[in-house]
């Protein structure tokens, strides 16, 4: 027993050391590209030079950028990333040669990625729009919003609102939401947003704010709605709007011809211009010098030299955890992740045992139903199951997204649990059950005292693996607006424009959670492990 405990401790220590070593190596070797030569030969002189098949331009999924790139750089190749925040990392790692971003974000980009630069000339002026469902209700809502927006422009209010949110400031004290009165005579307006799109919709501590949110709230105040926000991905928002889960999507999206067939768009409204960001090493030296002088003349003042490794780590810790007390957001997200894991595991385990019981009955109907359940839910991807449950099955009963996640994860977990438990029971020789009956046990007691402890011990390795997988699966909860630890990390990344440290921190949290979970399960299984049972079960005859 002591040897096993000692072996486990050493395995845990070695795992932590290896994980820490990998992180340190990644951090040390994650150096931005350096200028290889001062020669101008083959270097970029203006953003139009990117229109070549030898260049790869990055595009975040769910944004306008792929349309912009195809229009302005038809000969360039496209590479997609899952968010705007990952674009600078892809650029520094030479996975792409450029990407487009708004001028307002550049001070924050260059604060974390000083080896990048940009061409000051505007590539494209953005004109995003909101959208609603493509039915009479959705079109009525869009018409109301268009009238509201036209009135706002006629009064000159929109330009003031835009200037407030798009102006650069160190502390963001000027970026405050208006104090409005929501009467609510027309009910609640369910609005899907990304909350990861500074300065248009984002979280400032606990406060939801941004240009898009101010437009939504002013619209609600004038038209008798109470706004209710859901943080979702664009793809999930489209499904949610179509199914009636959300009334409006307020975020960056282009009114493409294909999307117009599925949803109803509001009028376009202009926001900040987009420019091309590239590596300094890719730009001709004389052009780079001229660009940086133009950058100094503008409001972009955060250009600096690379920090030392220690200073860079401290800056990352400060921005991710300390600034705006973001550690509280992470702590809340961690609690939600733990609650999701516990509730899903308990419900899934109980459901799996019940399904296993049905399968082992003599009824052919129950047996087929149980087996069909296992086959169905083992083969549907968890993300697809989550979206179907949220938008088609439970979307219109106003069940909180947290419990929709619990139900979805439990449905999937129950299938594996039923299959695993059934195989564990089948692995026990039937003679043991018959022997227990001959010793005076009843059927239920024989199963509880003799069969079940052996089943638990035999299925434990697989159960442990599935439970760790379930904990990791909870990272999908952000797709339907549950702010678990992964979603919170994405929201923080959108504010800090730093990709590596929040990801490393999230990975470390999941790593520690899995380690503690496995350690706790080992303590539980020792109570049913035959090697550690020193006495016969009560009631058994010696």
């Amino acid at each position: 027993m002591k040897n096993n405990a000692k072996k486990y401790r050493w395995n845990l220590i070695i795992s932590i050391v290896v994980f820490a070593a990998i992180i340190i190596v990644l951090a040390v070797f994650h150096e931005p590209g350096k200028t290889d030569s001062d020669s101008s030969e083959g270097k970029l002189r203006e953003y139009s030079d990117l229109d070549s098949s030898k260049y790869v331009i990055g595009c975040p999924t769910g944004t306008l950028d792929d349309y912009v790139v195809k229009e302005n750089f038809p000969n360039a190749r496209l590479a997609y990333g899952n968010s705007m925040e990952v674009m600078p990392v892809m650029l520094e790692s030479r996975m792409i040669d450029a990407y487009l971003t708004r001028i307002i974000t550049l001070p924050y980009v260059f604060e974390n990625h000083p080896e990048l630069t940009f061409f000051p000339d505007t590539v494209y002026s953005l004109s995003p729009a909101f959208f609603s469902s493509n039915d009479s209700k959705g079109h009525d809502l869009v018409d109301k919003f268009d009238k509201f927006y036209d009135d706002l422009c006629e009064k000159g209010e929109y330009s003031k609102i835009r200037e407030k949110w798009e102006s650069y400031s160190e502390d963001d004290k000027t970026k405050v939401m208006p104090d409005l009165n929501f009467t609510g005579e027309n009910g609640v307006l369910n609005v899907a947003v990304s909350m990861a799109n500074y300065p248009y919709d984002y979280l400032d501590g606990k406060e939801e704010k941004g240009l898009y949110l101010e437009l939504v709230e002013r619209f609600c105040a004038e038209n008798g709605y109470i706004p209710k926000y859901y943080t979702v991905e664009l793809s999930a928002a489209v499904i949610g709007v179509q199914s009636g889960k959300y009334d409006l999507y307020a975020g960056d999206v282009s009114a493409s011809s294909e999307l117009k067939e599925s949803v109803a768009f509001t009028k376009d409204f202009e926001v900040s211009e987009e420019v091309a960001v590239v590596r300094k090493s890719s730009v001709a030296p004389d052009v780079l010098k001229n660009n940086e002088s133009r950058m100094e003349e503008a409001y972009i003042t955060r250009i600096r030299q690379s920090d030392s490794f220690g200073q860079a780590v401290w800056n990352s810790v400060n921005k991710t955890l300390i600034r705006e007390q973001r550690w509280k957001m992470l702590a809340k997200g961690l609690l939600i992740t733990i609650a999701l894991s516990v509730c899903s595991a308990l419900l899934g385990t109980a459901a799996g045992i019940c399904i296993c019981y049905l399968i082992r009955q003599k009824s052919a109907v129950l047996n087929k139903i149980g087996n069909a359940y296992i086959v169905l839910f083992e083969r549907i991807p968890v993300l697809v199951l989550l979206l179907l449950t949220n938008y088609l099955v439970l979307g219109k009963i106003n069940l909180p997204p947290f419990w929709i996640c619990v139900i979805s994860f439990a449905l999937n977990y129950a299938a594996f649990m039923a299959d695993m438990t059934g195989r564990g029971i089948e692995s026990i020789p039937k003679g043991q059950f018959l022997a227990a009956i001959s010793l005076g046990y009843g059927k239920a007691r024989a199963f509880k005292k003799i069969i079940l402890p052996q089943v638990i011990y035999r299925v434990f390795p697989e159960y442990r693996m599935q439970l760790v997988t379930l904990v990791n699966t909870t990272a999908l909860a952000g797709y339907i607006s549950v702010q678990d630890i992964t979603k919170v990390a994405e929201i923080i990344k959108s504010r800090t424009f730093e990709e590596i440290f929040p990801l490393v921190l999230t990975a470390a949290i999941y790593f520690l959670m899995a380690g503690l979970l496995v350690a706790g399960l080992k303590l539980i299984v020792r109570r049913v492990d035959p090697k550690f049972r020193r006495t016969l079960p009560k009631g058994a005859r010696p």
Side-chain angles (χ1 to χ4, degrees):
M1 185 185 304
K2 291 182 178 180
N3 289 336
N4 288 336
K6 185 177 181 181
K7 181 180 178 181
Y8 173 73
R9 284 196 298 270
W10 274 110
N11 287 338
L12 181 60
I13 292 172
I14 292 172
S15 298
I16 294 174
V17 170
V18 170
F19 181 82
I22 292 173
I23 297 306
I24 292 173
V25 168
L26 288 175
V28 170
F29 287 98
H30 179 68
E31 291 290 337
K34 304 296 183 181
T35 304
D36 299 322
S37 171
D38 291 334
S39 172
S40 297
E41 185 177 356
K43 299 296 183 71
L44 297 167
R45 302 196 65 83
E46 55 187 19
Y47 75 78
S48 60
D49 292 342
L50 292 166
D51 187 20
S52 170
S53 59
K54 70 178 183 179
Y55 293 113
V56 179
I57 301 180
C59 296
T61 55
T63 66
L64 303 163
D65 288 11
D66 51 353
Y67 296 96
V68 177
V69 170
K70 291 175 183 177
E71 180 179 343
N72 292 274
F73 309 97
N75 297 311
R77 291 172 290 156
L78 284 175
Y80 288 92
N82 64 345
S83 66
M84 179 59 75
E85 294 74 46
V86 79
M87 290 293 113
V89 179
M90 293 177 66
L91 183 56
E92 286 182 337
S93 303
R94 300 181 182 273
M95 298 170 64
I96 58 176
D97 299 296
Y99 74 94
L100 304 181
T101 191
R102 292 176 170 134
I103 292 178
I104 183 63
T105 67
L106 291 179
Y108 309 96
V109 172
F110 296 143
E111 181 182 16
N112 299 299
H113 307 278
E115 294 303 319
L116 302 183
T117 186
F118 80 112
F119 290 104
D121 296 324
T122 300
V123 177
Y124 187 78
S125 293
L126 290 171
S127 298
F130 299 165
F131 63 78
S132 185
S133 57
N134 198 12
D135 54 20
S136 59
K137 180 181 177 181
H139 282 282
D140 288 343
L141 183 63
V142 165
D143 290 341
K144 285 183 181 179
F145 190 90
D146 286 344
K147 183 179 183 303
F148 156 78
Y149 175 70
D150 289 339
D151 292 343
L152 210 61
C153 292
E154 288 179 7
K155 297 175 183 177
E157 291 294 322
Y158 177 71
S159 59
K160 294 178 182 178
I161 296 172
R162 178 184 169 188
E163 182 180 359
K164 177 180 72 173
W165 290 105
E166 292 187 344
S167 61
Y168 172 72
S169 61
E170 288 282 346
D171 53 14
D172 282 353
K173 288 183 179 179
T174 60
K175 294 180 171 59
V176 294
M177 294 292 287
D179 186 13
L180 301 172
N181 180 38
F182 303 111
T183 56
E185 65 266 18
N186 290 323
V188 174
L189 188 71
N190 296 306
V191 184
V193 292
S194 71
M195 286 302 175
N197 185 24
Y198 180 85
Y200 302 97
D201 56 294
Y202 65 100
L203 278 177
D204 185 3
K206 294 182 179 180
E207 186 180 3
E208 300 162 327
K209 57 169 54 175
L211 170 60
Y212 295 159
L213 301 194
E214 179 166 343
L215 291 178
V216 168
E217 294 194 359
R218 285 178 179 270
F219 170 74
C220 289
E222 287 189 18
N223 291 273
Y225 295 106
I226 298 175
K228 184 177 181 180
Y229 298 114
Y230 295 84
T231 306
V232 296
E233 305 288 338
L234 174 60
S235 57
V238 174
I239 301 173
V241 166
Q242 291 175 329
S243 65
K245 178 79 174 180
Y246 314 123
D247 300 307
L248 185 72
Y249 175 74
D252 282 340
V253 65
S254 62
S256 64
S257 57
E258 289 185 349
L259 201 51
K260 282 182 177 180
E261 297 175 1
S262 304
V263 295
F265 278 94
T266 64
K267 290 182 177 179
D268 297 343
F269 43 89
E270 289 190 4
V271 292
S272 179
E273 294 80 12
E274 284 206 344
V275 294
V277 179
V278 295
R279 292 183 297 274
K280 288 181 178 179
S281 59
S282 302
V283 182
D286 59 322
V287 176
L288 177 62
K289 184 176 181 180
N290 180 56
N291 284 356
E292 292 192 342
S293 66
R294 291 178 65 182
M295 290 159 69
E296 290 291 345
E297 292 172 2
Y299 61 87
I300 303 169
T301 59
R302 286 191 172 189
I303 306 165
R304 56 173 174 75
Q305 299 299 316
S306 299
D307 290 324
S308 65
F309 176 72
Q311 184 62 41
V313 171
W314 166 247
N315 288 338
S316 297
V317 171
N318 180 51
K319 287 183 291 186
T320 304
L321 298 175
I322 300 175
R323 190 179 297 175
E324 297 180 2
Q325 294 185 320
R326 290 173 181 148
W327 65 269
K328 292 183 178 180
M329 295 172 60
L330 287 167
K332 184 178 179 180
L334 177 59
L335 291 176
I336 291 176
T337 296
I338 293 173
L340 275 174
S341 303
V342 171
C343 294
S344 302
L346 292 176
L347 182 59
T349 299
I353 292 173
C354 292
I355 294 167
C356 179
Y357 177 78
L358 291 178
I359 293 174
R360 296 186 62 81
Q361 299 305 302
K362 295 181 179 180
S363 171
V365 175
L366 294 178
N367 188 284
K368 289 181 179 180
I369 291 175
N371 282 306
Y373 178 93
I374 293 174
V375 171
L376 176 64
F377 286 99
E378 277 187 342
R379 297 181 182 180
I380 297 178
V382 181
L383 177 57
V384 176
L385 177 61
L386 177 63
L387 296 178
L388 287 173
T389 304
N390 184 53
Y391 298 118
L392 297 183
V393 182
L394 302 176
K396 296 185 178 180
I397 65 173
N398 293 324
L399 189 67
F402 176 89
W403 292 110
I404 292 177
C405 284
V406 169
I407 292 172
S408 301
F409 298 150
L411 287 172
N412 175 263
Y413 190 68
F416 289 99
M417 185 67 192
D419 186 30
M420 178 174 54
T421 305
R423 285 186 281 109
I425 293 173
E426 291 294 334
S427 69
I428 307 299
K430 293 182 179 179
Q432 292 193 26
F433 183 76
L434 297 175
I437 296 297
S438 68
L439 289 173
Y441 284 87
K443 289 184 178 181
R445 196 174 178 204
F447 180 82
K448 177 182 177 182
K449 295 294 184 179
I450 304 299
I451 306 300
L452 183 59
Q454 295 183 75
V455 171
I456 294 175
Y457 179 71
R458 294 191 181 195
V459 304
F460 171 71
E462 187 176 354
Y463 181 82
R464 178 180 62 188
M465 179 181 67
Q466 291 295 340
L467 200 54
V468 171
T469 302
L470 173 63
V471 173
N472 294 335
T473 300
T474 60
L476 300 174
Y479 275 85
I480 62 167
S481 78
V482 176
Q483 292 187 12
D484 67 314
I485 187 70
T486 304
K487 188 63 178 180
V488 169
E490 290 182 2
I491 291 173
I492 291 176
K493 285 190 299 178
S494 72
R495 291 286 283 116
T496 63
F497 287 85
E498 181 170 342
E499 181 76 13
I500 299 299
F501 186 77
L503 285 179
V504 169
L505 182 61
T506 305
I509 291 173
Y510 275 106
F511 177 83
L512 293 175
M513 286 175 59
L516 293 173
L517 177 62
V518 170
L521 290 174
K522 281 183 175 292
L523 293 176
I524 294 173
V525 82
R526 285 165 66 91
R527 298 181 62 86
V528 296
D529 189 340
K531 292 186 294 185
F532 301 112
R533 294 170 65 196
R534 298 180 179 178
T535 60
L536 291 172
K538 292 181 180 181
R541 299 173 185 173

